[in-house]
Amino acid sequence: MKMKKTRKFMVLAGLVGMLALSACGQANNTTAGSANNTPEASANGGGNAAAVGESVNYEIIGIDPGAGIMKATSQAIEIYGLDGWKLIEGSGAAMTAMLDKAVKSEKPIIVTGWTPHWMFAKYDLKYLEDPQKVYGEAEEIHTLARKGLKEDHPTAYEFLDRFEWTSDEMGEIMTAIQEGQDPAEAAKAWADSHADRVDSWTEGLTPVDGDKFKLSYVAWDSEIASTNLLEYVLETKLGYDVESLQVEAGPMWTGVASGDVDATAAAWLPLTHADYWDKYGEQVEDLGANMTGVKTGLVVPTYMDINSIEDLK
């Protein structure tokens, strides 16, 4: 009788042990599953500042160091207390190449961005909210002329003074260029298919006979589009012999201020080029905005679970 009781007890003990081991195995599997999910959550943001930072190596991918958006981003890192974060200098082309690679593999990335830009048409992106207004409100792209341009080249001056268009219109040229079309050909195709728009800028103007004219611009996709369009209209509709100089922001402003360059349609105000306006504003003539409602800031793919720069802290 005692033997039967002992055997029964041992069987029960064994069953209890097996159940305990099974429970431990399930717990371990659950923990392992959570651990396996962690990198994916980090990669897409996970709503955790540390996870977001680690997933992008605490790096913000920027453009050329002379751009105003780079200065604003450096200020954002300081103002938002983003200790340990780095702003990576490069170029617009390098930034979009890294963005393309990240989006294709659904990896996290944070870039300096602006609109108008073709990347917003190609990818599903969003601006991070900027409650401290480090990047300011919506900006404008202005056309600047050298002093005396109205007297020396009245036809070109009047055309540039009339020139204004929308981000959607510019986007057509930018997209064509991004898809491989030569910038000059993309500008020509746009002008030919928007003849009424071009006529509104040139109506009643007297063409010249090969007068030389010099434009300057920064190597942003938006400014490549606008400057190629201006060059095409000035040459084919108004008779000018145009030279377009691709330079950094500083030389662009200096050239117009010194009179070495006749005009530029690539001045981002009031924030992006604020320092240059403070330095050269009285030495140039501002013909006003050729585009309104433009914007700069930090941009991420929409699949990242983050909405504000404050979320990076």
Side-chain angles (χ1 to χ4, degrees):
M1 196 66 176
K2 286 185 179 179
M3 286 290 292
K4 289 183 179 179
K5 287 184 178 180
T6 302
R7 267 194 212 122
K8 190 179 291 187
F9 176 78
M10 290 176 66
V11 170
L12 289 172
L15 287 171
V16 171
M18 289 175 65
L19 289 171
L21 287 172
S22 177
C24 288
Q26 290 177 357
N28 288 336
N29 287 338
T30 301
T31 303
S34 298
N36 289 336
N37 287 335
T38 299
E40 185 177 349
S42 296
N44 290 337
N48 181 301
V52 174
E54 290 171 4
S55 71
V56 298
N57 199 29
Y58 293 93
E59 291 180 347
I60 297 170
I61 308 304
I63 56 173
D64 49 287
I69 194 173
M70 294 293 280
K71 179 180 179 181
T73 302
S74 295
Q75 293 174 339
I77 290 174
E78 180 179 350
I79 290 172
Y80 284 98
L82 305 183
D83 299 332
W85 282 80
K86 295 170 289 184
L87 175 58
I88 307 301
E89 296 178 352
S91 66
M95 180 271 288
T96 52
M98 294 183 70
L99 177 64
D100 181 74
K101 183 178 180 181
V103 170
K104 284 180 177 176
S105 55
E106 289 199 14
K107 297 293 184 182
I109 188 169
I110 302 174
V111 303
T112 55
W114 62 93
T115 43
H117 195 290
W118 58 263
M119 65 184 181
F120 285 88
K122 184 171 183 179
Y123 311 117
D124 196 3
L125 306 173
K126 63 183 177 182
Y127 280 99
L128 293 183
E129 295 172 5
D130 176 21
Q132 298 294 331
K133 302 298 181 186
V134 177
Y135 292 94
E137 303 293 345
E139 290 203 281
E140 300 175 337
I141 307 177
H142 284 231
T143 302
L144 306 179
R146 65 171 173 81
K147 296 287 188 178
L149 182 67
K150 186 174 184 178
E151 292 73 29
D152 297 339
H153 295 291
T155 295
Y157 179 93
E158 181 61 26
F159 161 60
L160 292 172
D161 193 35
R162 294 179 185 178
F163 174 67
E164 51 81 25
W165 60 339
T166 68
S167 60
D168 288 341
E169 290 172 325
M170 177 188 277
E172 293 177 34
I173 299 180
M174 287 194 294
T175 300
I177 296 172
Q178 193 274 329
E179 291 176 349
Q181 193 169 13
D182 177 76
E185 287 300 316
K188 177 183 183 302
W190 189 92
D192 291 347
S193 62
H194 295 77
D196 291 346
R197 200 82 167 96
V198 174
D199 288 345
S200 71
W201 302 328
T202 60
E203 184 179 4
L205 299 182
T206 303
V208 299
D209 186 17
D211 292 3
K212 293 189 178 299
F213 198 84
K214 191 175 291 186
L215 296 169
S216 65
Y217 64 102
V218 289
W220 294 2
D221 298 274
S222 51
E223 315 322 319
I224 291 171
S226 61
T227 304
N228 274 273
L229 178 61
L230 292 180
E231 180 175 336
Y232 176 76
V233 175
L234 283 165
E235 288 191 335
T236 62
K237 306 297 182 182
L238 299 175
Y240 284 92
D241 178 10
V242 181
E243 179 183 6
S244 296
L245 304 175
Q246 181 178 298
V247 295
E248 299 291 338
M252 181 184 78
W253 279 80
T254 303
V256 179
S258 66
D260 293 333
V261 173
D262 291 305
T264 180
W268 285 56
L269 296 170
L271 179 67
T272 302
H273 290 160
D275 289 348
Y276 300 116
W277 176 257
D278 291 341
K279 188 173 183 178
Y280 300 112
E282 294 183 358
Q283 302 172 48
V284 301
E285 184 175 353
D286 181 8
L287 302 185
N290 60 63
M291 183 176 295
T292 60
V294 301
K295 185 177 181 179
T296 62
L298 295 186
V299 173
V300 300
T302 55
Y303 56 71
M304 288 183 65
D305 185 18
I306 182 173
N307 296 304
S308 172
I309 301 175
E310 288 189 328
D311 296 337
L312 302 177
K313 290 191 290 184

